[in-house]
Amino acid sequence: MSIFWVSLLITSALVFIIRFAGYLVPEKYLTNPTALRINSLIPIALLSALVAVQSFTGKASIIIDQRMAGLGVAVIALLLKAPFPIVVIGAAATSAAIFHLG
Amino acid sequence: MNRATATQSLSVSLTVGAYGLAFGAASVAAGFSVLQSCLISLLTFSGASQFALVGVIGAGGSVVSAVTTASLLGIRNMLYGLRLAPVIKAKGVKKILAAQVTIDESTGVALSQERLGQREMRQGFWLTGVGVYLFWNLFTLVGALSAQAMGNPAAWGLDAAVPAAFLGLLWPRMQNNRDRTLAVCAALLALLLTPFVAAGVPIISTAVLAVLFGLRGRR
């Protein structure tokens, strides 16, 4: 089986088991404030890392290319409180324009 | 049925559809087939986890890094379940369905109906959960088919659209300076590690930063 099928099936199974557990475990076991705080910080760390890796790397090295301009436009759009589709389309259009010019 | 609850559920479902489009495209750009992309949305049904899965695999990461990153991002759904279980009061198959549609949006709408009563909370939860499920999967298919038709992702700017979509997911979660500092540190750590460790590892490593920031104290 390919890496795609294996990762798809295991991720789906684990994500379901984790969320189903929430309906089985009594609430008192998971109200520790430190655990709750860490849980809210984990997505921030992982998503920031994903943004960085997807924007500035390729084949195990740091690469600066048209994606950086796209990401810059996304940041500006978010600072201006633009809706999600504008953020994504703005980034894509900028990156594509530079790709074709370059 | 409460009209305001229904309106809120529908508007949230439609908005989230746009993310589904971005996911379908990102998934195909990462090398997953259209069928696999649709199965990820049908079975995993958790935006951040799905984006992490295709992000890590697309960057050349191992199954273990991809699955670990996606699972860590799924933990908050468990906390939502803990909060919602006493309100939803589902049994048997319905409990399984409730768990599957327990996401940021269904939880958010359910909790915002709190002052109207438990019946409205349940309505909001099911309408939003099922509505988002339908739109998310429909738009995943559209996004995946579009990306497949595009060919080179860079020519359409898809290579920048994917990190922009992640950033869009991340942005509302950053609420104070500690959150923003963590985001910058995590991004830098991941970039610094990239040349030295296997793909995918730089991303999971940043979970350690989240733990350190969380242990450091309040706020």
Side-chain angles (χ1 to χ4, degrees), chain A residues 6-102:
Chain A
V6 175
S7 60
L8 178 179
L9 294 173
I10 300 178
T11 297
S12 298
L14 283 178
V15 168
F16 181 77
I17 290 167
I18 290 168
R19 59 163 41 127
F20 193 60
Y23 282 82
L24 301 178
V25 182
E27 197 169 357
K28 61 178 180 191
Y29 291 116
L30 265 170
T31 46
N32 177 313
T34 306
L36 290 176
R37 198 163 54 231
I38 291 173
N39 181 68
S40 72
L41 292 175
I42 279 181
I44 295 176
L46 294 181
L47 290 171
S48 311
L50 272 162
V51 171
V53 166
Q54 300 241 315
S55 303
F56 301 109
T57 72
K59 295 201 176 73
S61 56
I62 309 277
I63 294 174
I64 302 289
D65 60 14
Q66 72 275 1
R67 292 173 295 174
M68 185 168 79
L71 193 71
V73 169
V75 169
I76 292 168
L78 285 164
L79 286 171
L80 295 174
K81 302 191 194 316
F84 181 74
I86 304 292
V87 173
V88 175
I89 293 169
T94 308
S95 181
I98 295 177
F99 177 84
H100 290 292
L101 289 172

